[in-house]
Amino acid sequence: MRKANSKITASFNENITGVRVVKALRREEKNLKEFNALTGDMYRAAFRAAWLSALFLPVVQLISAFALGIVAWYGGYQAGLGGLSIGGIQAFISYITFMLWPIQEIARVYAEMQHAIASAERIFSLTDSLPDITDRPGAFDPGSIAGDIIFEHVTFFYEKNKPVLEDFCMHIKQGETIALVGPTGGGKTTIVNLLCRFYEPKEGTIRIAGYDYSELSLHAIQSRIGMVIQTPHLFSGTVLDNFRYGRLDATDEEIKEAARLSGAHEFIKSLENGYLEEVGEGGNNLSVGQKQLISLARAVLTQPEIFIMDEATSSVDTLTEALIQRGMQVLLENRTSFIIAHRLSTIKKADRIILIDNGKITEMGTHAQLLRERGHYYRLYTRQFRQQLEREYDPFVAQSTAGS
Ligand SMILES: Nc1ncnc2c1ncn2[C@@H]1O[C@H](COP(=O)(O)OP(=O)(O)OP(=O)(O)O)[C@@H](O)[C@H]1O
Ligand SMILES: [Mg+2]
């Protein structure tokens, strides 16, 4: 019953959070049918549980009644023979009742306990599960992780036999701005996830500032990396609460400065309540681009030693993006940073651009070098650039032909 119940909870949670997709793809009826099947399972399980517990107590009571009956019958027989007085039988029957009462009580408690045990089993199976990645014995905090980052023959997979990275090597110097580009599913997010130690390499080592990073404590690494993830997530509360999420002691001035650097200040000012505007559950009262700006500013505020932006400004308009780039330049100076982007205009200024395809580095160099090489990056860039040019020139061409 508990298992069926948790499936129902998971299902309606998924359907409510994904309600727009359900509506857009007109899945209402099909989902309702699936949900009905789940509630049917729950109904049957609950019915069986109720039936069993309804049966249990009467059975115990029936046995007690039989016991009393036997005492009365055998006692009566003995009284007839003169071996026992009526008073004796009476006393015996009341002793039996005294004894039966706790037994019935135990039966009732036992039935309730079964419910509790089933619930407890499910709770403990969750709380007892151990995180895959924990601090090794003797893990320490070196005080700073500023330094070179080296991936040494790293092999990694999420599922066995499906390697995402194989024998991957990369050397990033301190202070470099690295851009990771490449096709969808190539392994860019996986690389930065490994760097943040959300996952660990299955083989090989990652060195940060000379230390094998598995010798360091998780806190030492993660508290010094600022990561803006691909799918921005805000927590319900005000804009200000969300800024303070990463650094509780930030002053209002520092928050405004971070917001200015990341281009969020302008739109926040235009909100009715400014920094005190409620963002709604998961930040759903804001647009995706606005959420991205806030999560970018939130990361800026923590002043990390390593900065990672995974498609951090993909939903922001190009003008705002240019503003952010200007603001971020100060921040990225002397700070090792990784920028992942599909929009190549964002990464032109990176010290090194690394093309990742199928878990491997296929091209590496500055924007100018890669263009000169005329490889995959060149083709990607010229295609995006041409599209942009076409968009820019179209109205101009239309106007000039109309004029002539
Ligand atoms: N949690 C996961 N479990 C299993 N496989 C995963 C998981 N996350 C990613 N993968 C797989 O790993 C591969 C690399 O994914 P990754 O997210 O690193 O790609 P990406 O380069 O960031 O792509 P995108 O540009 O779309 O963000 C993909 O083939 C993907 O299917
Ligand atoms: Mg990704």
Side-chain angles (χ1 to χ4, degrees):
M1 203 174 101
R2 299 277 175 233
K3 269 187 199 153
N5 192 17
S6 67
K7 274 190 201 153
I8 288 178
T9 316
S11 167
F12 74 56
N13 182 26
E14 213 171 33
N15 274 299
I16 287 173
T17 49
V19 67
R20 286 190 185 89
V21 182
V22 174
K23 292 232 170 261
L25 300 177
R26 279 165 303 163
R27 285 271 311 191
E28 289 99 332
E29 256 177 55
K30 202 153 188 317
N31 285 10
L32 193 63
K33 254 189 218 141
E34 282 172 13
F35 194 67
N36 271 339
L38 283 180
T39 47
D41 288 346
M42 173 74 179
Y43 170 76
R44 278 182 291 279
F47 190 84
R48 216 173 101 81
W51 205 82
L52 283 176
S53 71
L55 197 69
F56 191 57
L57 213 55
V59 165
V60 173
Q61 280 167 346
L62 203 69
I63 292 172
S64 338
F66 265 116
L68 278 177
I70 289 169
V71 168
W73 171 76
Y74 190 70
Y77 171 67
Q78 285 291 321
L81 293 182
L84 197 64
S85 67
I86 302 286
I89 298 172
Q90 176 61 37
F92 205 76
I93 286 180
S94 56
Y95 294 155
I96 291 270
T97 342
F98 271 140
M99 196 184 77
L100 285 177
W101 178 75
I103 290 180
Q104 282 176 9
E105 198 57 17
I106 286 174
R108 199 182 55 77
V109 170
Y110 181 74
E112 260 172 36
M113 233 167 70
Q114 286 302 314
H115 273 284
I117 287 174
S119 307
E121 248 172 36
R122 297 195 56 77
I123 291 170
F124 285 128
S125 73
L126 187 72
T127 54
D128 287 353
S129 57
L130 294 172
D132 288 336
I133 292 158
T134 47
D135 283 344
R136 306 278 148 80
F140 63 99
D141 184 343
S144 160
I145 55 166
D148 289 11
I149 297 169
I150 308 170
F151 279 59
E152 279 176 359
H153 306 284
V154 171
T155 294
F156 178 78
F157 47 81
Y158 293 98
E159 288 158 42
K160 267 209 160 88
N161 305 323
K162 273 200 222 154
V164 180
L165 298 179
E166 247 179 315
D167 201 26
F168 183 85
C169 298
M170 181 167 85
H171 188 140
I172 311 294
K173 289 197 217 65
Q174 188 194 346
E176 263 189 310
T177 301
I178 299 291
L180 298 175
V181 294
T184 291
K188 304 176 296 293
T189 301
T190 306
I191 292 171
V192 292
N193 277 346
L194 282 169
L195 180 63
C196 293
R197 215 168 145 198
F198 295 145
Y199 298 93
E200 280 179 354
K202 305 286 178 190
E203 276 168 44
T205 29
I206 297 177
R207 284 183 195 287
I208 302 183
Y211 304 101
D212 174 348
Y213 87 159
S214 58
E215 289 167 6
L216 306 181
S217 67
L218 281 168
H219 182 80
I221 300 170
Q222 287 165 357
S223 64
R224 295 194 177 89
I225 296 183
M227 185 170 182
V228 187
I229 60 170
Q230 202 162 2
T231 42
H233 186 90
L234 302 185
F235 292 90
S236 44
T238 62
V239 172
L240 204 63
D241 292 338
N242 271 285
F243 272 104
R244 289 234 163 84
Y245 201 79
R247 230 186 90 198
L248 289 173
D249 60 348
T251 62
D252 289 358
E253 259 324 295
E254 284 173 319
I255 289 175
K256 285 213 178 104
E257 182 56 26
R260 234 174 259 130
L261 279 179
S262 56
H265 185 67
E266 286 304 311
F267 99 81
I268 296 173
K269 251 189 356 200
S270 70
L271 295 173
E272 199 185 327
N273 300 317
Y275 282 83
L276 297 178
E277 182 88 7
E278 289 285 331
V279 301
E281 193 184 327
N284 280 336
N285 296 353
L286 300 176
S287 80
V288 179
Q290 292 170 336
K291 276 199 264 186
Q292 282 188 335
L293 293 182
I294 292 182
S295 58
L296 184 65
R298 190 167 58 180
V300 168
L301 190 63
T302 58
Q303 292 286 328
E305 289 177 355
I306 298 171
F307 198 67
I308 299 172
M309 297 173 16
D310 191 351
E311 288 286 340
T313 52
S314 57
S315 299
V316 172
D317 67 80
T318 35
L319 200 69
T320 313
E321 194 168 46
L323 276 177
I324 296 172
Q325 271 172 26
R326 214 169 306 145
M328 297 296 274
Q329 239 156 30
V330 191
L331 185 86
L332 298 185
E333 239 164 64
N334 302 322
R335 196 169 262 144
T336 316
S337 45
F338 292 82
I339 303 172
I340 300 177
H342 286 297
R343 221 191 265 167
L344 299 181
S345 55
T346 24
I347 49 132
K348 269 195 308 201
K349 290 216 184 85
D351 296 320
R352 248 191 309 163
I353 297 169
I354 302 182
L355 221 81
I356 308 282
D357 189 359
N358 224 339
K360 291 198 176 60
I361 295 179
T362 52
E363 281 171 38
M364 184 159 73
T366 61
H367 178 69
Q369 280 168 350
L370 290 181
L371 283 188
R372 236 175 286 135
E373 270 178 32
R374 302 214 159 215
H376 191 65
Y377 180 81
Y378 172 80
R379 283 195 297 282
L380 275 181
Y381 184 75
T382 44
R383 201 178 310 139
Q384 284 192 6
F385 194 61
R386 199 178 308 132
Q387 279 168 357
Q388 195 186 334
L389 273 183
E390 275 166 8
R391 265 201 304 275
E392 278 171 17
Y393 278 111
D394 258 354
F396 175 69
V397 172
Q399 232 173 30
S400 62
T401 45
S404 65

